[in-house]
DNA sequence: GTCGTGACTAGCC
DNA sequence: CGGCTAGCCACGA
């Protein structure tokens, strides 16, 4: 639960919730939004333990490279969810990543 | 209290 | 271009 969560995790989830359906973001973007571009690891870690599944769209997070990366519930599930939202996945990769990439600023 | 791990990224050789 | 190292954050053992 969020009560046991740290501020960092809360921030991550909050950012994730800002992502509109059909859009995706990268670990770097989130990390930067948190203020630490090197916190990409922590972001993934936070998602892995996120209690708001699937309230928190962890599946909308992809690697900066455009790869799917991983998912607590299995990459397959992640792909299925993304495709359902209009995102095309090919060979564990996101197509039109640039087009669907969501930036916070 | 210290070490190691994790869905990563960037820099260096 | 490819592989390795270092850095960041939080948590479990």
């Amino acid at each position: 639960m969020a009560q046991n969560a740290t501020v960092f995790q809360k921030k991550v989830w909050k950012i994730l919730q800002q992502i509109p359906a059909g859009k995706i973001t990268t670990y770097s973007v989130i990390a930067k939004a948190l203020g630490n571009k090197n916190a990409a690891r922590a972001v993934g870690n936070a998602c892995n333990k996120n209690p708001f599944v699937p309230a928190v769209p962890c599946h909308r997070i992809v690697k900066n490279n455009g790869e799917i990366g991983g998912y607590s519930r299995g990459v397959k599930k992640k792909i299925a969810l993304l495709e359902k939202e209009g995102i095309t996945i090919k060979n564990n990769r996101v197509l039109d990543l640039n087009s669907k990439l969501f930036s916070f600023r």
Side-chain angles (χ1 to χ4, degrees):
Chain A
M1 290 303 266
Q3 296 131 346
N4 298 339
T6 64
V7 179
F8 198 84
Q9 283 179 311
K10 286 185 189 171
K11 277 184 184 172
V12 174
W13 303 331
K14 204 164 202 159
I15 290 171
L16 290 180
Q17 286 173 43
Q18 290 177 57
I19 307 174
K23 292 252 178 183
I24 52 183
T25 189
T26 70
Y27 295 96
S28 289
V29 174
I30 297 172
K32 257 178 206 178
L34 293 171
N36 301 317
K37 70 175 173 98
N38 303 344
R41 259 198 204 165
V43 175
N45 202 353
C47 274
N48 186 16
K49 291 164 183 162
N50 105 56
F52 298 103
V53 177
V56 177
C58 306
H59 56 273
R60 280 183 201 148
I61 308 183
V62 297
K63 302 211 302 189
N64 209 11
N65 194 14
E67 282 185 47
I68 295 296
Y71 191 49
S72 307
R73 295 183 153 58
V75 182
K76 271 216 134 206
K77 193 98 184 167
K78 184 171 183 173
I79 295 173
L81 286 166
L82 290 174
E83 286 195 318
K84 219 177 238 191
E85 296 185 355
I87 297 175
T88 309
I89 310 296
K90 190 95 180 186
N91 201 10
N92 281 4
R93 247 181 210 218
V94 180
L95 295 188
D96 288 334
L97 172 65
N98 210 10
S99 279
K100 286 162 181 153
L101 192 58
F102 178 76
S103 38
F104 301 93
R105 251 146 70 86

